[in-house]
Amino acid sequence: QSALTQPPSASGSPGQSVTISCTGTSSDVGGYDYVSWYQQHPGKAPKLMIYEVSKRPSGVPDRFSGSKSGNTASLTVSGLQAEDEADYYCNSYAGSHNWVFGGGTQLTVL
Amino acid sequence: EVQLVESGGGLVQPGGSLRLSCAVSGFTFSSYWMTWVRQAPGKGLEWVANIKQDGSEKYYVNSVRGRFTISRDNAKNSLYLQMNSLRVEDTAVYFCARHYSRASDYWGQGTLVTVSS
């Protein structure tokens, strides 16, 4: 049950696009289409942004999109806005009813 | 409106016990898997445990298996986490969340557990 690998930080200017990666193994990210992404502002609960690799819950702006290739999943935020500045975590099913998170990426809007 | 409210956190000595509760409203509690996730101070999220709708299946992260027990009372719309043999490294904010489509779509605000002598 090793954590998924995310870059510690990412940044972009307002209006730009930024992509955050989440690398696992064939036993988790690569083995199942059960990757989700969460946004967390300081002192707040996480918020679901993407589930099942690329699906958006109701109310999440379509500026947020998800994808997967092999053992790496990605979250892309297009048209960056100030309120997008937050920590982002990926999560994947890892088999045998186990779940694993990434270490988190701090997104800064310059 | 969906609401999840955790309670029961606090300061406990190493080796001690604590029981967390999560009161839910706004959805049919008995229809969903539920989960506990924790976050150590300044650290990332860690999945702790899941429980099936009727409580018949329970799963844990390796580091808490044998010490923590997840349970639920569907009549009371409540989720629980009994934590025994607590260690300093269990210090964290504990979140309860509803599990839907292999993700956690609604979360509580969290309750802080501090294990320290």
Side-chain angles (χ1 to χ4, degrees):
Chain A
Q1 294 174 330
S2 300
L4 306 175
T5 300
Q6 296 183 235
S9 63
S11 63
S13 300
Q16 288 187 332
S17 294
V18 64
T19 297
I20 299 170
S21 63
C22 169
T23 301
T25 69
S26 58
S27 296
D28 38 61
V29 174
Y32 308 93
D33 286 336
Y34 298 144
V35 176
S36 52
W37 289 90
Y38 301 86
Q39 176 192 67
Q40 187 181 35
H41 288 107
K44 300 295 186 180
K47 175 186 177 183
L48 178 65
M49 306 302 284
I50 296 289
Y51 67 100
E52 292 181 2
V53 176
S54 59
K55 298 179 180 179
R56 264 189 320 275
S58 173
V60 172
D62 59 7
R63 303 185 293 103
F64 291 84
S65 62
S67 63
K68 190 185 84 167
S69 177
N71 296 337
T72 298
S74 300
L75 173 72
T76 298
V77 186
S78 305
L80 270 174
Q81 299 182 3
E83 59 262 34
D84 298 334
E85 185 161 298
D87 293 328
Y88 291 83
Y89 294 91
C90 62
N91 178 266
S92 175
Y93 182 61
S96 301
H97 296 277
N98 291 309
W99 298 83
V100 61
F101 281 95
T105 297
Q106 184 175 49
L107 175 61
T108 301
V109 180
L110 301 171
Chain B
E1 179 190 8
V2 172
Q3 286 193 322
L4 297 89
V5 180
E6 302 93 337
S7 61
L11 175 63
V12 61
Q13 292 187 337
S17 298
L18 214 53
R19 189 197 196 203
L20 305 183
S21 299
C22 173
V24 314
S25 60
F27 66 95
T28 305
F29 179 64
S30 59
S31 296
Y32 293 88
W33 282 76
M34 295 295 294
T35 189
W36 286 98
V37 173
R38 67 184 178 183
Q39 186 170 35
K43 302 297 184 181
L45 301 173
E46 180 182 36
W47 168 73
V48 174
N50 277 359
I51 187 169
K52 194 177 179 179
Q53 290 92 329
D54 61 359
S56 62
E57 295 181 36
K58 306 173 184 182
Y59 303 97
Y60 303 89
V61 68
N62 287 342
S63 59
V64 309
R65 190 174 294 118
R67 300 188 298 122
F68 289 11
T69 302
I70 189 173
S71 63
R72 63 192 297 162
D73 186 334
N74 288 343
K76 295 183 178 179
N77 287 342
S78 293
L79 175 71
Y80 306 102
L81 186 67
Q82 176 67 43
M83 304 184 296
N84 298 331
S85 302
L86 281 161
R87 305 168 180 168
V88 171
E89 54 265 34
D90 294 320
T91 294
V93 174
Y94 284 74
F95 297 97
C96 64
R98 188 178 84 168
H99 207 67
Y100 174 74
S101 288
R102 279 74 175 186
S104 296
D105 60 347
Y106 287 97
W107 297 64
Q109 83 289 348
T111 187
L112 176 62
V113 172
T114 303
V115 185
S116 174
S117 54

